[in-house]
PDB file of all heavy atoms in Angstrom:
ATOM      1  N   ILE A   1     -13.215  11.599 -10.518  1.00 90.00           N
ATOM      2  CA  ILE A   1     -13.537  11.088  -9.195  1.00 90.00           C
ATOM      3  C   ILE A   1     -13.477   9.561  -9.233  1.00 90.00           C
ATOM      4  O   ILE A   1     -14.053   8.933 -10.122  1.00 90.00           O
ATOM      5  CB  ILE A   1     -14.942  11.537  -8.741  1.00 90.00           C
ATOM      6  CG1 ILE A   1     -15.010  13.067  -8.688  1.00 90.00           C
ATOM      7  CG2 ILE A   1     -15.276  10.950  -7.378  1.00 90.00           C
ATOM      8  CD1 ILE A   1     -16.369  13.588  -8.308  1.00 90.00           C
ATOM      9  N   THR A   2     -12.758   8.988  -8.276  1.00 93.00           N
ATOM     10  CA  THR A   2     -12.671   7.537  -8.153  1.00 93.00           C
ATOM     11  C   THR A   2     -13.280   7.134  -6.818  1.00 93.00           C
ATOM     12  O   THR A   2     -12.972   7.723  -5.786  1.00 93.00           O
ATOM     13  CB  THR A   2     -11.213   7.067  -8.217  1.00 93.00           C
ATOM     14  OG1 THR A   2     -10.557   7.682  -9.323  1.00 93.00           O
ATOM     15  CG2 THR A   2     -11.141   5.556  -8.380  1.00 93.00           C
ATOM     16  N   ARG A   3     -14.150   6.134  -6.857  1.00 94.00           N
ATOM     17  CA  ARG A   3     -14.820   5.658  -5.654  1.00 94.00           C
ATOM     18  C   ARG A   3     -14.388   4.228  -5.366  1.00 94.00           C
ATOM     19  O   ARG A   3     -14.388   3.380  -6.265  1.00 94.00           O
ATOM     20  CB  ARG A   3     -16.345   5.744  -5.822  1.00 94.00           C
ATOM     21  CG  ARG A   3     -16.838   7.176  -6.011  1.00 94.00           C
ATOM     22  CD  ARG A   3     -18.318   7.231  -6.349  1.00 94.00           C
ATOM     23  NE  ARG A   3     -18.776   8.615  -6.451  1.00 94.00           N
ATOM     24  CZ  ARG A   3     -18.685   9.351  -7.563  1.00 94.00           C
ATOM     25  NH1 ARG A   3     -18.168   8.820  -8.667  1.00 94.00           N
ATOM     26  NH2 ARG A   3     -19.095  10.599  -7.566  1.00 94.00           N
ATOM     27  N   PHE A   4     -14.033   3.977  -4.100  1.00 95.00           N
ATOM     28  CA  PHE A   4     -13.540   2.672  -3.698  1.00 95.00           C
ATOM     29  C   PHE A   4     -14.315   2.157  -2.484  1.00 95.00           C
ATOM     30  O   PHE A   4     -14.765   2.931  -1.637  1.00 95.00           O
ATOM     31  CB  PHE A   4     -12.066   2.744  -3.265  1.00 95.00           C
ATOM     32  CG  PHE A   4     -11.084   3.110  -4.329  1.00 95.00           C
ATOM     33  CD1 PHE A   4     -10.554   4.388  -4.377  1.00 95.00           C
ATOM     34  CD2 PHE A   4     -10.657   2.184  -5.266  1.00 95.00           C
ATOM     35  CE1 PHE A   4      -9.617   4.732  -5.327  1.00 95.00           C
ATOM     36  CE2 PHE A   4      -9.712   2.513  -6.228  1.00 95.00           C
ATOM     37  CZ  PHE A   4      -9.200   3.798  -6.258  1.00 95.00           C
ATOM     38  N   LEU A   5     -14.392   0.835  -2.391  1.00 96.00           N
ATOM     39  CA  LEU A   5     -14.665   0.163  -1.132  1.00 96.00           C
ATOM     40  C   LEU A   5     -13.335  -0.381  -0.628  1.00 96.00           C
ATOM     41  O   LEU A   5     -12.517  -0.870  -1.417  1.00 96.00           O
ATOM     42  CB  LEU A   5     -15.675  -0.967  -1.313  1.00 96.00           C
ATOM     43  CG  LEU A   5     -17.104  -0.513  -1.608  1.00 96.00           C
ATOM     44  CD1 LEU A   5     -17.940  -1.687  -2.093  1.00 96.00           C
ATOM     45  CD2 LEU A   5     -17.743   0.124  -0.383  1.00 96.00           C
ATOM     46  N   CYS A   6     -13.124  -0.288   0.675  1.00 97.00           N
ATOM     47  CA  CYS A   6     -11.818  -0.648   1.223  1.00 97.00           C
ATOM     48  C   CYS A   6     -11.979  -1.486   2.477  1.00 97.00           C
ATOM     49  O   CYS A   6     -12.800  -1.167   3.349  1.00 97.00           O
ATOM     50  CB  CYS A   6     -11.031   0.635   1.541  1.00 97.00           C
ATOM     51  SG  CYS A   6      -9.448   0.341   2.374  1.00 97.00           S
ATOM     52  N   ASN A   7     -11.185  -2.542   2.570  1.00 96.00           N
ATOM     53  CA  ASN A   7     -11.062  -3.330   3.789  1.00 96.00           C
ATOM     54  C   ASN A   7      -9.828  -2.820   4.530  1.00 96.00           C
ATOM     55  O   ASN A   7      -8.700  -3.005   4.061  1.00 96.00           O
ATOM     56  CB  ASN A   7     -10.913  -4.808   3.454  1.00 96.00           C
ATOM     57  CG  ASN A   7     -10.844  -5.696   4.689  1.00 96.00           C
ATOM     58  OD1 ASN A   7     -10.308  -5.309   5.717  1.00 96.00           O
ATOM     59  ND2 ASN A   7     -11.369  -6.903   4.571  1.00 96.00           N
ATOM     60  N   PRO A   8      -9.986  -2.160   5.683  1.00 96.00           N
ATOM     61  CA  PRO A   8      -8.835  -1.537   6.335  1.00 96.00           C
ATOM     62  C   PRO A   8      -7.832  -2.521   6.919  1.00 96.00           C
ATOM     63  O   PRO A   8      -6.700  -2.139   7.204  1.00 96.00           O
ATOM     64  CB  PRO A   8      -9.482  -0.686   7.438  1.00 96.00           C
ATOM     65  CG  PRO A   8     -10.780  -1.358   7.724  1.00 96.00           C
ATOM     66  CD  PRO A   8     -11.246  -1.912   6.404  1.00 96.00           C
ATOM     67  N   LEU A   9      -8.229  -3.776   7.116  1.00 95.00           N
ATOM     68  CA  LEU A   9      -7.284  -4.756   7.656  1.00 95.00           C
ATOM     69  C   LEU A   9      -6.460  -5.427   6.571  1.00 95.00           C
ATOM     70  O   LEU A   9      -5.272  -5.672   6.748  1.00 95.00           O
ATOM     71  CB  LEU A   9      -8.029  -5.812   8.479  1.00 95.00           C
ATOM     72  CG  LEU A   9      -8.562  -5.366   9.847  1.00 95.00           C
ATOM     73  CD1 LEU A   9      -9.069  -6.558  10.628  1.00 95.00           C
ATOM     74  CD2 LEU A   9      -7.490  -4.632  10.642  1.00 95.00           C
ATOM     75  N   THR A  10      -7.084  -5.758   5.446  1.00 95.00           N
ATOM     76  CA  THR A  10      -6.346  -6.426   4.370  1.00 95.00           C
ATOM     77  C   THR A  10      -5.807  -5.438   3.342  1.00 95.00           C
ATOM     78  O   THR A  10      -4.934  -5.784   2.548  1.00 95.00           O
ATOM     79  CB  THR A  10      -7.253  -7.436   3.643  1.00 95.00           C
ATOM     80  OG1 THR A  10      -8.304  -6.731   2.965  1.00 95.00           O
ATOM     81  CG2 THR A  10      -7.856  -8.427   4.623  1.00 95.00           C
ATOM     82  N   GLY A  11      -6.338  -4.221   3.321  1.00 95.00           N
ATOM     83  CA  GLY A  11      -5.927  -3.232   2.320  1.00 95.00           C
ATOM     84  C   GLY A  11      -6.612  -3.410   0.980  1.00 95.00           C
ATOM     85  O   GLY A  11      -6.335  -2.654   0.043  1.00 95.00           O
ATOM     86  N   GLN A  12      -7.511  -4.398   0.850  1.00 96.00           N
ATOM     87  CA  GLN A  12      -8.162  -4.605  -0.433  1.00 96.00           C
ATOM     88  C   GLN A  12      -8.974  -3.374  -0.833  1.00 96.00           C
ATOM     89  O   GLN A  12      -9.761  -2.846  -0.055  1.00 96.00           O
ATOM     90  CB  GLN A  12      -9.096  -5.812  -0.399  1.00 96.00           C
ATOM     91  CG  GLN A  12      -9.747  -6.096  -1.764  1.00 96.00           C
ATOM     92  CD  GLN A  12     -10.918  -7.057  -1.687  1.00 96.00           C
ATOM     93  OE1 GLN A  12     -11.398  -7.372  -0.607  1.00 96.00           O
ATOM     94  NE2 GLN A  12     -11.391  -7.521  -2.834  1.00 96.00           N
ATOM     95  N   LEU A  13      -8.761  -2.927  -2.076  1.00 95.00           N
ATOM     96  CA  LEU A  13      -9.516  -1.823  -2.658  1.00 95.00           C
ATOM     97  C   LEU A  13     -10.340  -2.351  -3.815  1.00 95.00           C
ATOM     98  O   LEU A  13      -9.821  -3.051  -4.687  1.00 95.00           O
ATOM     99  CB  LEU A  13      -8.583  -0.722  -3.164  1.00 95.00           C
ATOM    100  CG  LEU A  13      -7.937   0.190  -2.128  1.00 95.00           C
ATOM    101  CD1 LEU A  13      -6.859   1.046  -2.785  1.00 95.00           C
ATOM    102  CD2 LEU A  13      -8.975   1.079  -1.460  1.00 95.00           C
ATOM    103  N   THR A  14     -11.610  -2.030  -3.837  1.00 95.00           N
ATOM    104  CA  THR A  14     -12.489  -2.421  -4.934  1.00 95.00           C
ATOM    105  C   THR A  14     -13.081  -1.154  -5.528  1.00 95.00           C
ATOM    106  O   THR A  14     -13.775  -0.405  -4.843  1.00 95.00           O
ATOM    107  CB  THR A  14     -13.618  -3.341  -4.446  1.00 95.00           C
ATOM    108  OG1 THR A  14     -13.039  -4.492  -3.803  1.00 95.00           O
ATOM    109  CG2 THR A  14     -14.489  -3.789  -5.607  1.00 95.00           C
ATOM    110  N   ARG A  15     -12.771  -0.927  -6.803  1.00 93.00           N
ATOM    111  CA  ARG A  15     -13.244   0.282  -7.467  1.00 93.00           C
ATOM    112  C   ARG A  15     -14.703   0.126  -7.883  1.00 93.00           C
ATOM    113  O   ARG A  15     -15.105  -0.905  -8.446  1.00 93.00           O
ATOM    114  CB  ARG A  15     -12.391   0.556  -8.708  1.00 93.00           C
ATOM    115  CG  ARG A  15     -12.700   1.875  -9.411  1.00 93.00           C
ATOM    116  CD  ARG A  15     -12.149   1.830 -10.831  1.00 93.00           C
ATOM    117  NE  ARG A  15     -10.730   1.545 -10.836  1.00 93.00           N
ATOM    118  CZ  ARG A  15      -9.774   2.476 -10.952  1.00 93.00           C
ATOM    119  NH1 ARG A  15     -10.114   3.740 -11.080  1.00 93.00           N
ATOM    120  NH2 ARG A  15      -8.504   2.140 -10.962  1.00 93.00           N
ATOM    121  N   LEU A  16     -15.507   1.135  -7.603  1.00 94.00           N
ATOM    122  CA  LEU A  16     -16.890   1.145  -8.050  1.00 94.00           C
ATOM    123  C   LEU A  16     -16.972   1.810  -9.423  1.00 94.00           C
ATOM    124  O   LEU A  16     -16.133   2.638  -9.777  1.00 94.00           O
ATOM    125  CB  LEU A  16     -17.774   1.903  -7.063  1.00 94.00           C
ATOM    126  CG  LEU A  16     -17.884   1.307  -5.658  1.00 94.00           C
ATOM    127  CD1 LEU A  16     -18.871   2.111  -4.830  1.00 94.00           C
ATOM    128  CD2 LEU A  16     -18.306  -0.152  -5.712  1.00 94.00           C
ATOM    129  N   PRO A  17     -17.987   1.450 -10.218  1.00 91.00           N
ATOM    130  CA  PRO A  17     -18.132   2.091 -11.534  1.00 91.00           C
ATOM    131  C   PRO A  17     -18.308   3.598 -11.385  1.00 91.00           C
ATOM    132  O   PRO A  17     -18.760   4.099 -10.350  1.00 91.00           O
ATOM    133  CB  PRO A  17     -19.401   1.443 -12.109  1.00 91.00           C
ATOM    134  CG  PRO A  17     -19.589   0.180 -11.326  1.00 91.00           C
ATOM    135  CD  PRO A  17     -19.033   0.441  -9.969  1.00 91.00           C
ATOM    136  N   ALA A  18     -17.963   4.325 -12.442  1.00 88.00           N
ATOM    137  CA  ALA A  18     -18.139   5.773 -12.453  1.00 88.00           C
ATOM    138  C   ALA A  18     -19.625   6.111 -12.493  1.00 88.00           C
ATOM    139  O   ALA A  18     -20.453   5.331 -12.966  1.00 88.00           O
ATOM    140  CB  ALA A  18     -17.427   6.388 -13.646  1.00 88.00           C
ATOM    141  N   ILE A  19     -19.957   7.300 -11.981  1.00 87.00           N
ATOM    142  CA  ILE A  19     -21.332   7.798 -12.018  1.00 87.00           C
ATOM    143  C   ILE A  19     -21.407   8.926 -13.026  1.00 87.00           C
ATOM    144  O   ILE A  19     -20.781   9.965 -12.851  1.00 87.00           O
ATOM    145  CB  ILE A  19     -21.774   8.337 -10.645  1.00 87.00           C
ATOM    146  CG1 ILE A  19     -21.626   7.263  -9.572  1.00 87.00           C
ATOM    147  CG2 ILE A  19     -23.205   8.848 -10.693  1.00 87.00           C
ATOM    148  CD1 ILE A  19     -21.898   7.774  -8.177  1.00 87.00           C
ATOM    149  N   GLY A  20     -22.180   8.762 -14.092  1.00 72.00           N
ATOM    150  CA  GLY A  20     -22.400   9.845 -15.036  1.00 72.00           C
ATOM    151  C   GLY A  20     -21.124  10.338 -15.685  1.00 72.00           C
ATOM    152  O   GLY A  20     -20.119   9.643 -15.759  1.00 72.00           O
ATOM    153  N   ALA A  21     -21.179  11.589 -16.134  1.00 58.00           N
ATOM    154  CA  ALA A  21     -20.042  12.198 -16.817  1.00 58.00           C
ATOM    155  C   ALA A  21     -20.075  13.693 -16.560  1.00 58.00           C
ATOM    156  O   ALA A  21     -21.093  14.274 -16.194  1.00 58.00           O
ATOM    157  CB  ALA A  21     -20.099  11.920 -18.322  1.00 58.00           C
ATOM    158  N   GLY A  22     -18.920  14.337 -16.759  1.00 51.00           N
ATOM    159  CA  GLY A  22     -18.845  15.786 -16.623  1.00 51.00           C
ATOM    160  C   GLY A  22     -19.204  16.237 -15.220  1.00 51.00           C
ATOM    161  O   GLY A  22     -18.840  15.625 -14.225  1.00 51.00           O
ATOM    162  N   ARG A  23     -19.947  17.346 -15.127  1.00 51.00           N
ATOM    163  CA  ARG A  23     -20.308  17.914 -13.828  1.00 51.00           C
ATOM    164  C   ARG A  23     -21.193  16.984 -13.004  1.00 51.00           C
ATOM    165  O   ARG A  23     -21.230  17.056 -11.782  1.00 51.00           O
ATOM    166  CB  ARG A  23     -21.014  19.261 -14.030  1.00 51.00           C
ATOM    167  CG  ARG A  23     -20.095  20.355 -14.525  1.00 51.00           C
ATOM    168  CD  ARG A  23     -19.118  20.774 -13.427  1.00 51.00           C
ATOM    169  NE  ARG A  23     -18.142  21.727 -13.915  1.00 51.00           N
ATOM    170  CZ  ARG A  23     -17.143  22.220 -13.180  1.00 51.00           C
ATOM    171  NH1 ARG A  23     -17.003  21.812 -11.937  1.00 51.00           N
ATOM    172  NH2 ARG A  23     -16.283  23.077 -13.687  1.00 51.00           N
ATOM    173  N   GLU A  24     -21.928  16.096 -13.673  1.00 51.00           N
ATOM    174  CA  GLU A  24     -22.806  15.175 -12.950  1.00 51.00           C
ATOM    175  C   GLU A  24     -22.008  14.281 -12.016  1.00 51.00           C
ATOM    176  O   GLU A  24     -22.387  14.068 -10.872  1.00 51.00           O
ATOM    177  CB  GLU A  24     -23.594  14.328 -13.943  1.00 51.00           C
ATOM    178  CG  GLU A  24     -24.525  13.315 -13.272  1.00 51.00           C
ATOM    179  CD  GLU A  24     -25.198  12.406 -14.271  1.00 51.00           C
ATOM    180  OE1 GLU A  24     -25.105  12.687 -15.489  1.00 51.00           O
ATOM    181  OE2 GLU A  24     -25.809  11.426 -13.843  1.00 51.00           O
ATOM    182  N   LYS A  25     -20.875  13.794 -12.494  1.00 54.00           N
ATOM    183  CA  LYS A  25     -20.087  12.895 -11.654  1.00 54.00           C
ATOM    184  C   LYS A  25     -19.425  13.648 -10.505  1.00 54.00           C
ATOM    185  O   LYS A  25     -19.109  13.090  -9.466  1.00 54.00           O
ATOM    186  CB  LYS A  25     -19.023  12.180 -12.476  1.00 54.00           C
ATOM    187  CG  LYS A  25     -17.909  13.092 -13.000  1.00 54.00           C
ATOM    188  CD  LYS A  25     -16.882  12.302 -13.795  1.00 54.00           C
ATOM    189  CE  LYS A  25     -15.780  13.201 -14.332  1.00 54.00           C
ATOM    190  NZ  LYS A  25     -14.790  12.456 -15.132  1.00 54.00           N
ATOM    191  N   PHE A  26     -19.241  14.945 -10.672  1.00 48.00           N
ATOM    192  CA  PHE A  26     -18.599  15.744  -9.638  1.00 48.00           C
ATOM    193  C   PHE A  26     -19.505  15.920  -8.429  1.00 48.00           C
ATOM    194  O   PHE A  26     -19.061  15.995  -7.303  1.00 48.00           O
ATOM    195  CB  PHE A  26     -18.228  17.115 -10.221  1.00 48.00           C
ATOM    196  CG  PHE A  26     -17.528  18.030  -9.255  1.00 48.00           C
ATOM    197  CD1 PHE A  26     -16.268  17.722  -8.782  1.00 48.00           C
ATOM    198  CD2 PHE A  26     -18.130  19.190  -8.825  1.00 48.00           C
ATOM    199  CE1 PHE A  26     -15.615  18.565  -7.902  1.00 48.00           C
ATOM    200  CE2 PHE A  26     -17.485  20.035  -7.942  1.00 48.00           C
ATOM    201  CZ  PHE A  26     -16.228  19.722  -7.482  1.00 48.00           C
ATOM    202  N   GLY A  27     -20.814  15.980  -8.637  1.00 55.00           N
ATOM    203  CA  GLY A  27     -21.740  16.280  -7.557  1.00 55.00           C
ATOM    204  C   GLY A  27     -22.233  15.078  -6.784  1.00 55.00           C
ATOM    205  O   GLY A  27     -22.964  15.233  -5.813  1.00 55.00           O
ATOM    206  N   CYS A  28     -21.877  13.876  -7.182  1.00 61.00           N
ATOM    207  CA  CYS A  28     -22.442  12.677  -6.561  1.00 61.00           C
ATOM    208  C   CYS A  28     -21.437  12.019  -5.629  1.00 61.00           C
ATOM    209  O   CYS A  28     -20.309  11.755  -6.028  1.00 61.00           O
ATOM    210  CB  CYS A  28     -22.855  11.671  -7.636  1.00 61.00           C
ATOM    211  SG  CYS A  28     -24.116  12.269  -8.762  1.00 61.00           S
ATOM    212  N   GLY A  29     -21.848  11.768  -4.384  1.00 65.00           N
ATOM    213  CA  GLY A  29     -21.055  10.896  -3.554  1.00 65.00           C
ATOM    214  C   GLY A  29     -20.518  11.382  -2.240  1.00 65.00           C
ATOM    215  O   GLY A  29     -20.202  10.552  -1.385  1.00 65.00           O
ATOM    216  N   PRO A  30     -20.382  12.696  -1.964  1.00 73.00           N
ATOM    217  CA  PRO A  30     -19.748  13.086  -0.698  1.00 73.00           C
ATOM    218  C   PRO A  30     -20.481  12.592   0.545  1.00 73.00           C
ATOM    219  O   PRO A  30     -19.871  12.440   1.592  1.00 73.00           O
ATOM    220  CB  PRO A  30     -19.768  14.617  -0.770  1.00 73.00           C
ATOM    221  CG  PRO A  30     -19.848  14.942  -2.215  1.00 73.00           C
ATOM    222  CD  PRO A  30     -20.659  13.854  -2.820  1.00 73.00           C
ATOM    223  N   HIS A  31     -21.781  12.341   0.448  1.00 88.00           N
ATOM    224  CA  HIS A  31     -22.539  11.920   1.619  1.00 88.00           C
ATOM    225  C   HIS A  31     -23.160  10.546   1.422  1.00 88.00           C
ATOM    226  O   HIS A  31     -24.226  10.251   1.967  1.00 88.00           O
ATOM    227  CB  HIS A  31     -23.606  12.958   1.949  1.00 88.00           C
ATOM    228  CG  HIS A  31     -23.037  14.302   2.273  1.00 88.00           C
ATOM    229  ND1 HIS A  31     -22.250  14.526   3.372  1.00 88.00           N
ATOM    230  CD2 HIS A  31     -23.111  15.481   1.609  1.00 88.00           C
ATOM    231  CE1 HIS A  31     -21.874  15.792   3.392  1.00 88.00           C
ATOM    232  NE2 HIS A  31     -22.379  16.387   2.345  1.00 88.00           N
ATOM    233  N   MET A  32     -22.494   9.706   0.660  1.00 94.00           N
ATOM    234  CA  MET A  32     -22.958   8.339   0.497  1.00 94.00           C
ATOM    235  C   MET A  32     -22.580   7.509   1.716  1.00 94.00           C
ATOM    236  O   MET A  32     -21.546   7.726   2.335  1.00 94.00           O
ATOM    237  CB  MET A  32     -22.356   7.713  -0.757  1.00 94.00           C
ATOM    238  CG  MET A  32     -22.983   8.230  -2.039  1.00 94.00           C
ATOM    239  SD  MET A  32     -22.320   7.400  -3.486  1.00 94.00           S
ATOM    240  CE  MET A  32     -23.448   8.023  -4.738  1.00 94.00           C
ATOM    241  N   GLY A  33     -23.446   6.551   2.024  1.00 96.00           N
ATOM    242  CA  GLY A  33     -23.162   5.621   3.099  1.00 96.00           C
ATOM    243  C   GLY A  33     -23.027   4.214   2.556  1.00 96.00           C
ATOM    244  O   GLY A  33     -23.490   3.910   1.450  1.00 96.00           O
ATOM    245  N   VAL A  34     -22.391   3.335   3.332  1.00 97.00           N
ATOM    246  CA  VAL A  34     -22.225   1.943   2.920  1.00 97.00           C
ATOM    247  C   VAL A  34     -22.884   1.054   3.962  1.00 97.00           C
ATOM    248  O   VAL A  34     -22.741   1.259   5.171  1.00 97.00           O
ATOM    249  CB  VAL A  34     -20.731   1.582   2.741  1.00 97.00           C
ATOM    250  CG1 VAL A  34     -19.918   1.854   3.989  1.00 97.00           C
ATOM    251  CG2 VAL A  34     -20.581   0.123   2.315  1.00 97.00           C
ATOM    252  N   LEU A  35     -23.647   0.062   3.480  1.00 97.00           N
ATOM    253  CA  LEU A  35     -24.398  -0.848   4.343  1.00 97.00           C
ATOM    254  C   LEU A  35     -24.205  -2.265   3.831  1.00 97.00           C
ATOM    255  O   LEU A  35     -24.279  -2.510   2.620  1.00 97.00           O
ATOM    256  CB  LEU A  35     -25.885  -0.484   4.337  1.00 97.00           C
ATOM    257  CG  LEU A  35     -26.824  -1.331   5.198  1.00 97.00           C
ATOM    258  CD1 LEU A  35     -26.543  -1.089   6.680  1.00 97.00           C
ATOM    259  CD2 LEU A  35     -28.286  -1.002   4.879  1.00 97.00           C
ATOM    260  N   THR A  36     -23.947  -3.201   4.735  1.00 95.00           N
ATOM    261  CA  THR A  36     -23.785  -4.607   4.354  1.00 95.00           C
ATOM    262  C   THR A  36     -24.918  -5.433   4.935  1.00 95.00           C
ATOM    263  O   THR A  36     -25.520  -5.090   5.954  1.00 95.00           O
ATOM    264  CB  THR A  36     -22.445  -5.163   4.848  1.00 95.00           C
ATOM    265  OG1 THR A  36     -22.345  -4.975   6.258  1.00 95.00           O
ATOM    266  CG2 THR A  36     -21.282  -4.479   4.152  1.00 95.00           C
ATOM    267  N   GLN A  37     -25.185  -6.545   4.276  1.00 91.00           N
ATOM    268  CA  GLN A  37     -26.254  -7.449   4.680  1.00 91.00           C
ATOM    269  C   GLN A  37     -25.738  -8.873   4.510  1.00 91.00           C
ATOM    270  O   GLN A  37     -25.318  -9.264   3.418  1.00 91.00           O
ATOM    271  CB  GLN A  37     -27.496  -7.206   3.818  1.00 91.00           C
ATOM    272  CG  GLN A  37     -28.746  -7.916   4.248  1.00 91.00           C
ATOM    273  CD  GLN A  37     -29.912  -7.587   3.319  1.00 91.00           C
ATOM    274  OE1 GLN A  37     -30.005  -8.107   2.219  1.00 91.00           O
ATOM    275  NE2 GLN A  37     -30.801  -6.714   3.767  1.00 91.00           N
ATOM    276  N   ALA A  38     -25.745  -9.654   5.585  1.00 84.00           N
ATOM    277  CA  ALA A  38     -25.190 -11.000   5.546  1.00 84.00           C
ATOM    278  C   ALA A  38     -26.014 -11.906   4.643  1.00 84.00           C
ATOM    279  O   ALA A  38     -27.217 -11.693   4.443  1.00 84.00           O
ATOM    280  CB  ALA A  38     -25.131 -11.588   6.953  1.00 84.00           C
ATOM    281  N   GLY A  39     -25.355 -12.944   4.082  1.00 75.00           N
ATOM    282  CA  GLY A  39     -26.061 -13.934   3.280  1.00 75.00           C
ATOM    283  C   GLY A  39     -27.075 -14.695   4.114  1.00 75.00           C
ATOM    284  O   GLY A  39     -26.867 -14.920   5.314  1.00 75.00           O
ATOM    285  N   ARG A  40     -28.167 -15.109   3.496  1.00 64.00           N
ATOM    286  CA  ARG A  40     -29.242 -15.774   4.234  1.00 64.00           C
ATOM    287  C   ARG A  40     -28.962 -17.241   4.500  1.00 64.00           C
ATOM    288  O   ARG A  40     -29.577 -17.856   5.355  1.00 64.00           O
ATOM    289  CB  ARG A  40     -30.549 -15.624   3.468  1.00 64.00           C
ATOM    290  CG  ARG A  40     -31.006 -14.178   3.346  1.00 64.00           C
ATOM    291  CD  ARG A  40     -32.337 -14.069   2.661  1.00 64.00           C
ATOM    292  NE  ARG A  40     -32.784 -12.682   2.576  1.00 64.00           N
ATOM    293  CZ  ARG A  40     -33.921 -12.299   2.033  1.00 64.00           C
ATOM    294  NH1 ARG A  40     -34.743 -13.212   1.514  1.00 64.00           N
ATOM    295  NH2 ARG A  40     -34.261 -11.029   1.998  1.00 64.00           N
ATOM    296  N   ALA A  41     -28.058 -17.829   3.741  1.00 63.00           N
ATOM    297  CA  ALA A  41     -27.717 -19.248   3.944  1.00 63.00           C
ATOM    298  C   ALA A  41     -26.203 -19.385   3.970  1.00 63.00           C
ATOM    299  O   ALA A  41     -25.475 -18.547   3.436  1.00 63.00           O
ATOM    300  CB  ALA A  41     -28.318 -20.113   2.823  1.00 63.00           C
ATOM    301  N   HIS A  42     -25.735 -20.450   4.598  1.00 62.00           N
ATOM    302  CA  HIS A  42     -24.295 -20.666   4.706  1.00 62.00           C
ATOM    303  C   HIS A  42     -23.675 -20.777   3.308  1.00 62.00           C
ATOM    304  O   HIS A  42     -24.144 -21.518   2.456  1.00 62.00           O
ATOM    305  CB  HIS A  42     -24.016 -21.947   5.489  1.00 62.00           C
ATOM    306  CG  HIS A  42     -22.560 -22.243   5.638  1.00 62.00           C
ATOM    307  ND1 HIS A  42     -21.739 -21.488   6.454  1.00 62.00           N
ATOM    308  CD2 HIS A  42     -21.777 -23.194   5.069  1.00 62.00           C
ATOM    309  CE1 HIS A  42     -20.511 -21.965   6.379  1.00 62.00           C
ATOM    310  NE2 HIS A  42     -20.510 -23.010   5.548  1.00 62.00           N
ATOM    311  N   GLY A  43     -22.618 -20.019   3.093  1.00 60.00           N
ATOM    312  CA  GLY A  43     -21.942 -20.043   1.808  1.00 60.00           C
ATOM    313  C   GLY A  43     -22.459 -19.017   0.817  1.00 60.00           C
ATOM    314  O   GLY A  43     -21.836 -18.797  -0.222  1.00 60.00           O
TER     315      GLY A  43
END
């Protein structure tokens, strides 16, 4: 299983680290959500 974050306008793909091994990695992720939080100061 490969997990990516993707920017649909630029096409950038960022691979996330693997989770566990064997059957453990198979069961994790189908219902994960992604949330962003802006920086608190400029830059």
Side-chain angles (χ1 to χ4, degrees):
I1 300 178
T2 312
R3 297 173 177 86
F4 295 103
L5 290 166
C6 175
N7 183 326
L9 287 189
T10 66
Q12 183 194 11
L13 284 170
T14 303
R15 186 198 304 262
L16 296 184
I19 303 174
R23 290 290 174 183
E24 179 185 349
K25 68 179 179 181
F26 181 66
C28 299
H31 299 295
M32 286 183 171
V34 56
L35 180 69
T36 56
Q37 189 180 77
R40 296 184 179 180
H42 180 71

